[in-house]
Coordinates of all heavy atoms in Angstrom, one line a residue:
V1 N -18.7 0.6 9.6 CA -20.1 0.0 9.3 C -20.9 -0.1 10.7 O -22.0 0.2 10.6 CB -20.0 -1.2 8.5 CG1 -21.3 -1.9 8.5 CG2 -19.5 -1.1 7.2
R2 N -20.2 -0.5 11.7 CA -20.8 -0.7 13.0 C -20.7 0.7 13.8 O -20.8 0.6 15.1 CB -20.1 -1.8 13.8 CG -20.2 -3.1 13.0 CD -19.3 -4.1 13.7 NE -19.1 -5.3 12.8 CZ -19.9 -6.3 12.6 NH1 -21.0 -6.3 13.2 NH2 -19.7 -7.3 11.8
D3 N -20.5 1.8 13.1 CA -20.5 3.1 13.8 C -19.3 3.3 14.7 O -19.4 3.9 15.7 CB -21.8 3.4 14.5 CG -22.1 4.9 14.6 OD1 -21.6 5.6 13.8 OD2 -22.8 5.3 15.5
K4 N -18.3 2.6 14.4 CA -17.0 2.8 15.2 C -15.9 3.4 14.3 O -16.1 4.4 13.7 CB -16.5 1.6 15.9 CG -17.6 0.9 16.9 CD -17.0 -0.4 17.4 CE -18.1 -1.0 18.3 NZ -17.7 -2.4 18.9
G5 N -14.9 2.8 14.1 CA -13.7 3.3 13.2 C -12.9 4.4 13.8 O -13.2 5.1 14.6
N6 N -11.8 4.5 13.1 CA -10.7 5.5 13.5 C -10.2 6.2 12.2 O -9.5 5.5 11.4 CB -9.6 4.8 14.3 CG -8.6 5.8 14.9 OD1 -8.2 6.8 14.2 ND2 -8.2 5.5 16.0
E7 N -10.6 7.4 12.0 CA -10.2 8.0 10.8 C -8.7 8.2 10.6 O -8.1 8.0 9.5 CB -10.8 9.5 10.7 CG -10.6 10.2 9.4 CD -11.0 11.7 9.4 OE1 -11.5 12.2 10.5 OE2 -10.9 12.3 8.4
N8 N -8.0 8.6 11.7 CA -6.6 8.6 11.6 C -5.9 7.3 11.2 O -4.9 7.3 10.5 CB -6.0 9.2 12.9 CG -6.0 10.7 13.0 OD1 -5.4 11.3 12.0 ND2 -6.6 11.3 13.9
A9 N -6.5 6.2 11.7 CA -6.0 4.9 11.4 C -6.1 4.6 9.9 O -5.1 4.1 9.3 CB -6.7 3.9 12.2
V10 N -7.2 4.9 9.3 CA -7.3 4.6 7.8 C -6.4 5.6 7.1 O -5.8 5.1 6.1 CB -8.8 4.9 7.4 CG1 -9.0 4.9 5.9 CG2 -9.7 3.8 8.0
K11 N -6.3 6.7 7.4 CA -5.3 7.6 6.7 C -3.9 7.1 6.8 O -3.2 7.2 5.9 CB -5.4 9.2 7.3 CG -6.8 9.7 6.9 CD -6.8 11.2 7.3 CE -8.2 11.8 7.1 NZ -8.7 11.8 5.7
N12 N -3.6 6.7 8.0 CA -2.1 6.3 8.2 C -2.0 5.0 7.4 O -0.9 4.8 6.8 CB -1.9 5.9 9.8 CG -1.4 7.1 10.5 OD1 -0.1 7.2 10.6 ND2 -2.3 7.8 11.1
L13 N -3.0 4.1 7.3 CA -2.8 2.9 6.6 C -2.6 3.2 5.1 O -1.8 2.5 4.3 CB -4.0 2.0 6.8 CG -4.1 1.3 8.2 CD1 -5.4 0.8 8.5 CD2 -3.0 0.2 8.4
L14 N -3.4 4.2 4.6 CA -3.2 4.6 3.2 C -1.8 5.1 2.9 O -1.2 4.7 1.9 CB -4.3 5.6 2.8 CG -4.1 6.1 1.4 CD1 -4.5 5.1 0.3 CD2 -4.8 7.5 1.2
L15 N -1.3 5.9 3.8 CA 0.1 6.5 3.7 C 1.1 5.3 3.8 O 2.1 5.4 3.0 CB 0.3 7.6 4.8 CG -0.5 8.8 4.7 CD1 -0.2 9.7 5.8 CD2 -0.4 9.5 3.4
I16 N 0.9 4.4 4.7 CA 1.9 3.3 4.9 C 1.9 2.4 3.6 O 2.9 2.0 3.1 CB 1.5 2.4 6.1 CG1 1.8 3.2 7.4 CG2 2.2 1.2 6.1 CD1 1.2 2.6 8.6
A17 N 0.7 2.2 3.0 CA 0.6 1.4 1.7 C 1.4 2.1 0.7 O 2.1 1.5 -0.2 CB -0.8 1.3 1.3
N18 N 1.3 3.4 0.6 CA 2.1 4.2 -0.4 C 3.6 4.1 -0.2 O 4.3 3.9 -1.1 CB 1.7 5.7 -0.2 CG 2.3 6.6 -1.2 OD1 1.8 6.7 -2.3 ND2 3.5 7.3 -0.8
M19 N 4.0 4.0 1.2 CA 5.5 4.0 1.4 C 5.9 2.5 1.1 O 7.1 2.3 0.5 CB 5.7 4.2 2.9 CG 5.2 5.6 3.4 SD 5.9 6.9 2.5 CE 7.6 6.8 2.8
I20 N 5.1 1.5 1.3 CA 5.5 0.2 0.9 C 5.7 0.0 -0.5 O 6.7 -0.5 -1.0 CB 4.4 -0.9 1.4 CG1 4.3 -0.9 2.9 CG2 4.7 -2.3 0.9 CD1 3.1 -1.7 3.5
E21 N 4.8 0.6 -1.3 CA 4.9 0.5 -2.8 C 6.1 1.2 -3.2 O 6.9 0.8 -4.1 CB 3.7 1.1 -3.4 CG 3.7 1.0 -4.9 CD 2.5 1.6 -5.6 OE1 1.4 1.8 -4.9 OE2 2.5 1.9 -6.7
D22 N 6.5 2.4 -2.6 CA 7.6 3.2 -3.1 C 8.9 2.3 -2.7 O 9.9 2.4 -3.6 CB 7.8 4.5 -2.3 CG 6.8 5.5 -2.8 OD1 6.2 5.3 -3.9 OD2 6.6 6.6 -2.1
R23 N 9.0 1.6 -1.7 CA 10.1 0.8 -1.2 C 10.3 -0.4 -2.2 O 11.4 -0.7 -2.6 CB 10.0 0.4 0.3 CG 11.1 -0.4 0.8 CD 12.5 0.2 0.6 NE 12.5 1.6 0.9 CZ 13.5 2.4 0.6 NH1 14.6 1.9 0.0 NH2 13.5 3.7 0.8
L24 N 9.1 -0.9 -2.6 CA 9.2 -2.1 -3.5 C 9.7 -1.6 -4.9 O 10.6 -2.3 -5.5 CB 7.8 -2.7 -3.8 CG 7.3 -3.7 -2.6 CD1 5.8 -3.9 -2.8 CD2 8.1 -5.0 -2.7
H25 N 9.3 -0.4 -5.3 CA 9.9 0.1 -6.6 C 11.4 0.4 -6.5 O 12.1 0.1 -7.4 CB 9.1 1.5 -7.0 CG 7.8 1.3 -7.6 ND1 7.6 0.6 -8.8 CD2 6.5 1.7 -7.2 CE1 6.3 0.6 -9.1 NE2 5.7 1.3 -8.2
V26 N 11.8 1.0 -5.4 CA 13.2 1.3 -5.2 C 14.1 0.0 -5.2 O 15.0 -0.1 -5.9 CB 13.5 2.1 -3.9 CG1 15.0 2.1 -3.6 CG2 12.9 3.5 -4.1
N27 N 13.6 -1.0 -4.4 CA 14.4 -2.3 -4.3 C 14.4 -3.1 -5.6 O 15.4 -3.7 -6.0 CB 13.7 -3.2 -3.3 CG 13.9 -2.7 -1.8 OD1 14.7 -1.8 -1.7 ND2 13.2 -3.3 -0.9
N28 N 13.4 -2.9 -6.5 CA 13.3 -3.8 -7.7 C 13.5 -2.9 -9.0 O 13.2 -3.4 -10.1 CB 11.9 -4.4 -7.8 CG 11.7 -5.5 -6.6 OD1 12.2 -6.6 -6.8 ND2 11.0 -5.0 -5.6
Q29 N 14.0 -1.7 -8.8 CA 14.2 -0.9 -10.0 C 15.2 -1.5 -11.0 O 15.0 -1.2 -12.2 CB 14.7 0.5 -9.6 CG 16.1 0.5 -8.8 CD 16.4 2.0 -8.3 OE1 15.9 2.9 -8.8 NE2 17.2 2.0 -7.3
D30 N 16.1 -2.2 -10.6 CA 17.1 -2.9 -11.6 C 16.5 -4.2 -12.2 O 16.9 -4.6 -13.2 CB 18.4 -3.2 -10.9 CG 19.2 -1.9 -10.4 OD1 19.0 -0.8 -11.2 OD2 19.9 -1.9 -9.5
T31 N 15.6 -4.8 -11.5 CA 15.0 -6.0 -12.0 C 13.5 -6.0 -11.9 O 12.9 -7.0 -11.2 CB 15.6 -7.2 -11.2 OG1 15.4 -7.0 -9.8 CG2 17.1 -7.4 -11.5
P32 N 12.9 -5.1 -12.4 CA 11.4 -5.1 -12.4 C 10.8 -6.3 -13.2 O 11.3 -6.7 -14.2 CB 10.9 -3.8 -13.0 CG 12.1 -3.4 -14.0 CD 13.3 -4.0 -13.3
T33 N 9.6 -6.7 -12.7 CA 9.0 -7.9 -13.4 C 7.5 -7.4 -13.7 O 6.9 -6.6 -12.9 CB 8.8 -9.2 -12.5 OG1 8.1 -8.9 -11.3 CG2 10.3 -9.7 -12.2
E34 N 6.9 -7.9 -14.8 CA 5.6 -7.6 -15.1 C 4.6 -7.9 -14.0 O 3.6 -7.2 -13.7 CB 5.2 -8.2 -16.5 CG 5.9 -7.5 -17.7 CD 5.4 -8.1 -19.0 OE1 4.3 -8.7 -19.0 OE2 6.0 -7.9 -20.0
N35 N 4.7 -9.1 -13.5 CA 3.9 -9.6 -12.4 C 3.9 -8.7 -11.2 O 2.9 -8.3 -10.6 CB 4.2 -11.0 -12.1 CG 3.4 -12.1 -12.8 OD1 2.8 -11.7 -13.9 ND2 3.4 -13.3 -12.4
G36 N 5.2 -8.3 -10.8 CA 5.4 -7.5 -9.7 C 4.7 -6.1 -9.8 O 4.0 -5.6 -8.9
I37 N 4.9 -5.6 -11.0 CA 4.3 -4.2 -11.3 C 2.7 -4.3 -11.3 O 2.0 -3.4 -10.7 CB 4.8 -3.7 -12.6 CG1 6.3 -3.4 -12.5 CG2 4.0 -2.4 -13.0 CD1 7.0 -3.1 -13.9
A38 N 2.3 -5.3 -11.9 CA 0.8 -5.5 -12.0 C 0.2 -5.8 -10.5 O -0.9 -5.3 -10.2 CB 0.4 -6.7 -12.9
W39 N 1.0 -6.6 -9.8 CA 0.4 -6.9 -8.4 C 0.4 -5.6 -7.6 O -0.6 -5.3 -6.8 CB 1.5 -7.8 -7.7 CG 1.0 -8.3 -6.3 CD1 0.2 -9.3 -6.0 CD2 1.4 -7.7 -5.1 NE1 0.0 -9.4 -4.6 CE2 0.8 -8.4 -4.0 CE3 2.2 -6.6 -4.8 CZ2 0.9 -8.0 -2.7 CZ3 2.3 -6.3 -3.3 CH2 1.7 -7.0 -2.4
M40 N 1.4 -4.7 -7.7 CA 1.4 -3.4 -6.9 C 0.3 -2.6 -7.4 O -0.4 -1.8 -6.6 CB 2.8 -2.7 -7.1 CG 3.8 -3.3 -6.2 SD 5.3 -2.3 -6.3 CE 6.1 -2.9 -7.7
R41 N -0.1 -2.5 -8.8 CA -1.1 -1.8 -9.3 C -2.4 -2.2 -8.6 O -3.3 -1.4 -8.2 CB -1.1 -1.9 -10.8 CG -2.2 -1.0 -11.4 CD -2.0 -0.8 -12.9 NE -2.2 -2.1 -13.6 CZ -1.2 -2.8 -14.2 NH1 0.0 -2.2 -14.2 NH2 -1.3 -4.0 -14.8
H42 N -2.7 -3.5 -8.6 CA -3.9 -4.0 -8.0 C -4.0 -3.6 -6.5 O -5.1 -3.2 -6.0 CB -4.0 -5.6 -8.1 CG -4.3 -6.1 -9.5 ND1 -5.5 -5.7 -10.1 CD2 -3.7 -6.9 -10.3 CE1 -5.5 -6.3 -11.3 NE2 -4.4 -7.0 -11.4
Q43 N -2.9 -3.8 -5.8 CA -2.9 -3.5 -4.3 C -3.2 -2.0 -4.1 O -3.9 -1.6 -3.2 CB -1.5 -3.9 -3.7 CG -1.3 -5.3 -3.7 CD -2.1 -6.0 -2.6 OE1 -3.2 -6.6 -2.8 NE2 -1.6 -6.1 -1.4
R44 N -2.5 -1.2 -5.0 CA -2.6 0.3 -4.8 C -4.1 0.7 -5.0 O -4.7 1.5 -4.3 CB -1.7 1.0 -5.7 CG -1.9 2.6 -5.7 CD -0.8 3.3 -6.3 NE -0.8 4.7 -6.1 CZ 0.2 5.5 -6.0 NH1 1.4 5.0 -6.0 NH2 0.0 6.8 -5.8
R45 N -4.7 0.1 -6.1 CA -6.1 0.5 -6.4 C -7.1 0.1 -5.3 O -8.0 0.7 -5.0 CB -6.5 0.0 -7.7 CG -5.8 0.7 -8.9 CD -6.2 0.2 -10.3 NE -5.6 1.0 -11.3 CZ -5.8 0.8 -12.7 NH1 -6.5 -0.1 -13.1 NH2 -5.2 1.6 -13.5
A46 N -6.7 -1.1 -4.7 CA -7.6 -1.7 -3.6 C -7.5 -0.7 -2.5 O -8.5 -0.4 -1.8 CB -7.1 -3.1 -3.3
T47 N -6.3 -0.3 -2.1 CA -6.2 0.6 -0.9 C -6.8 1.9 -1.2 O -7.5 2.5 -0.3 CB -4.7 0.8 -0.5 OG1 -4.0 1.4 -1.7 CG2 -4.1 -0.5 0.0

C-alpha cells in the first residue's frame, strides 16, 4: 500500500501456508475434528 512490498515474499508465504495446512491434515488424519477442519478452511481462505 505504501508502494514497497516484496512479491516473492508474498508468494512464499502463500506456499508456506499451504505446507502448514498439509502437515496439519497429515498429523490429524486419524483424529480429525470439525473445529480443526473449519479453522483451517478459514485460514486458507484468508491467505
